Amino acid sequence: MPDRSAGRRSYTADMRLVDYTLAKRAKLTDLRGGRLSRTDVCDAHPELLRAARNVGEPTPVPCPVCAEEPLVHVTYVFGDALHQRSGRVWPRDGLADLHRSLDEVACYVVEVCTACYWNHLAQRYLLGRRHAG
């Protein structure tokens, strides 16, 4: 899948990537069709909102629910080699170091709206020397 962020090298382009766009579309269709309420889909945890506000990466994409704010991406990393750092928010510019220095880490990108609290898992991909090349 091509990288959609202009001017940045993609560390996900050749990695094992799972994109959750179809699940997002289904959820938004259910919301717009009245099968889900706004409170069902705009339920971001306070810690996720704090991460989005403080270390999240703004995107140019408006929130699909409220269109008041652009979405923010928050990346979490998991891996045995990270020890106590596993499961934490990781800045995108630090992913290259993980890719070069560890055998494998799983990255989860969550899109968040800090205005209405929409949140959705956008992508999951693997990084690390095991997946290089």
Side-chain angles (χ1 to χ4, degrees):
M1 167 173 256
D3 183 23
R4 293 185 185 120
S5 58
R8 291 187 188 164
R9 177 165 181 222
S10 172
Y11 293 99
T12 62
D14 298 318
M15 304 307 141
R16 294 186 178 129
L17 172 71
V18 178
D19 185 287
Y20 294 93
T21 300
L22 292 177
K24 176 182 173 178
R25 286 183 195 158
K27 186 181 282 189
L28 291 170
T29 298
D30 287 348
L31 173 66
R32 293 180 182 122
R35 291 175 293 282
L36 290 174
S37 71
R38 191 164 167 168
T39 57
D40 291 328
V41 298
C42 296
D43 60 352
H45 189 277
E47 290 297 322
L48 177 57
L49 290 169
R50 183 183 354 246
R53 289 183 183 115
N54 294 312
V55 295
E57 297 195 34
T59 73
V61 179
C63 174
V65 176
C66 72
E68 291 179 28
E69 296 284 331
L71 293 173
V72 176
H73 283 173
V74 178
T75 302
Y76 292 90
V77 295
F78 294 86
D80 293 339
L82 292 167
H83 304 290
Q84 65 269 41
R85 297 179 300 163
S86 182
R88 294 196 181 168
V89 175
W90 211 271
R92 186 174 171 97
D93 60 1
L95 294 177
D97 291 336
L98 289 180
H99 183 62
R100 286 188 301 269
S101 63
L102 299 176
D103 284 336
E104 182 175 272
V105 292
C107 302
Y108 293 82
V109 180
V110 180
E111 64 179 37
V112 182
C113 175
T114 58
C116 74
Y117 305 164
W118 158 264
N119 66 107
H120 181 75
L121 177 62
Q123 294 180 336
R124 178 196 184 273
Y125 56 91
L126 300 174
L127 292 178
R129 293 184 299 245
R130 186 176 295 155
H131 304 286

